[in-house]
Amino acid sequence: MATTRSAILVLVTICFLLAAPPAYSERRGFFRATMTRNEPVINLTRAAHKSRQRLSILAARLLDAAASGSGSAQTPLQLDSGVGAYDMTFSMGTPPQQLSALADTGSDLIWAKCGACKRCAPQGSPSYYPNKSSSFSKLPCSSGLCRTLESQSLATCGGAGASASASGAVCDYKYSYGLASDPHHYTQGYMASETFTLGGDSVRGIGFGCTTMSEGGYGSGSGLVGLGRGKLSLVRQLKVGTFSYCLTSDTTKSSPLLFGAASDLMTGAGVQSTPLLKTSTYYTVNLTSISIGAATTPGTGRHGIIFDSGTTLTFLAEPAYTLAKVALLSQATNLTRVPGTDGYEVCFQTSGAVFPSMVLHFDGGDMALRTENYFRAVDDSVSCWIVQSSPSHTSIVGNIMQMDYHIRYDLDKSVLSFQAANCETF
Ligand SMILES: *[C@@H]1O[C@H](CO)[C@@H](O)[C@H](O)[C@H]1NC(C)=O
Ligand SMILES: *[C@@H]1O[C@H](CO)[C@@H](O)[C@H](O)[C@H]1NC(C)=O
Ligand SMILES: *[C@@H]1O[C@H](CO)[C@@H](O)[C@H](O)[C@H]1NC(C)=O
Ligand SMILES: *[C@@H]1O[C@H](CO)[C@@H](O)[C@H](O)[C@H]1NC(C)=O
C-alpha cells in the first residue's frame, strides 16, 4: 500500500516537473530603480572595519553551505556590516508606501519592518503597514517560497504541533544572524505577498518577509532586498533573468538599478563577459590573473572572486594578495611610501604620484581599472591601495572597484558582464 502510494507520488512529481515551465520563461518586462550609498562620504577607517566584517560573514556562510551540502545560503547577513552598502528605493502596497532597504547581492530574502514593530531594529526608519494596503495577503504554507524557507529550516508552518495538512496556515520565519548561534541578531515575522513598485512600474505577488520582531544592527533602512541567485530574491521573483547596476563614483548621487530588458542597455564596444561559477551562491567569477604595471600575478584560483555590492574594499586571498602587493611596490620605487593603518599596507604620498596600472583578468574578459578604482585618498596628502589581504579563501571585488562600471548579472545565462560607463547617463 505504502509502496503504491510512493510510486504514485513519484509519478505525480515527474509529471509536475515535466509540466513546469522553465524558471524564467514568464517575463514581465523591465524595471528601473535607484540605489543610494548609505554612507555617502567614504571613511577608509570605517570602510576597513565594516568590509572585514562583511568578508568574514560571506566566508562563513560559504563554509556553512559547503558543510551542510546546501544552503544556509539563505541566512542573511549581519547588517552591522551594511555600512558602506547601497539602499534601494521602492514602494510596497496599494496605494504605494515608499521605503528604502539594503540592496544585497549576497542574500535572497526580501523583508521589511511591518506595522508598529516596536521590538524591531532599527527604530526610527519607516515601516510598511499591511493594514493600509488593499493588495496585501499572507502567504500560505503551501506556497513555493514558504517551502523553500522550510527546506532550510528557516520557517515553520502553523505553529508548533500543527498538522502537516494545515496548508492554509501562516508561514512564520525566523532568521538568526551572524556566524554561530547568536541570540541577539535575528529577524522574524511571517511571509506575505504584496505589489511592489519599482520606478513607475508595479508588479503583483512579490513574496517578502513581514518582520514583526528583530534585534541587531540593520543599517538605517526599513529592511533588506535580496538580489542573490536563489528563488526568494527580487530578481528571481520578478522573473526577469538579468539585472544590472552602475555605481556612480559621486557617492552623494543615486545610482541606477535596472531589471530585465532595461539592463540590455549594455551594448557596443568594451562589453566584457565572464561566466559565473555555478558552485557558488554568490556572484562569483574566475579571476585568472592580475596585471600590475608591467607585471602579471596569479588570480584567486578555484575559489574565484565574489562581486559584492555591499563590501566597500577589495579582498584578495593569498597568495594572490601578496604577489600583487610585491609587484605594485616593486614598480612604485619613485613614489614616497608612508605607513598605513587599518589593514592598508600600500600607501604613498599622493603629490605628483603616478600609480602603476591595474587590470583584473577574468576568464573571458579584462577589467582595466581607473586609478580611482584601486587608490583612494586617506587625507590631503596620502593615498592607499584599497585592496587588502583576505584571511580566508574568499576574495571580493568591492564597490569602490566597481564604480563607474555598468555591471550586469545574467542569471539565465550565468554570465557577469561589465563595461566602463558614465553612470549618470542612464
Ligand atoms: C572615520 O571613522 C573613524 C572610526 O569610526 C573615526 O574615528 C574618524 O574620526 C572618522 N574620520 C573622519 C574623517 O570622519
Ligand atoms: C494600522 O496599524 C497600526 C498599528 O500597527 C495602527 O497604528 C494604525 O492606526 C492602523 N491603520 C489603519 C488604517 O487601520
Ligand atoms: C578559470 O579559468 C582558467 C583559464 O580559462 C581555467 O583554466 C580554470 O579551470 C578556471 N577555473 C575555474 C574554477 O573555473
Ligand atoms: C614613476 O615611475 C613610473 C614608471 O615606473 C612612471 O610612469 C611615472 O611617471 C613616475 N612618476 C614620477 C612622479 O616620476
Side-chain angles (χ1 to χ4, degrees), residues 265-280:
L265 287 172
M266 189 186 285
T267 53
V271 179
Q272 306 275 303
S273 295
T274 184
L276 292 169
L277 297 185
K278 291 214 166 63
T279 48
S280 178

Side-chain angles (χ1 to χ4, degrees), residues 331 334 352 354:
Q331 293 175 82
N334 60 357
V354 178

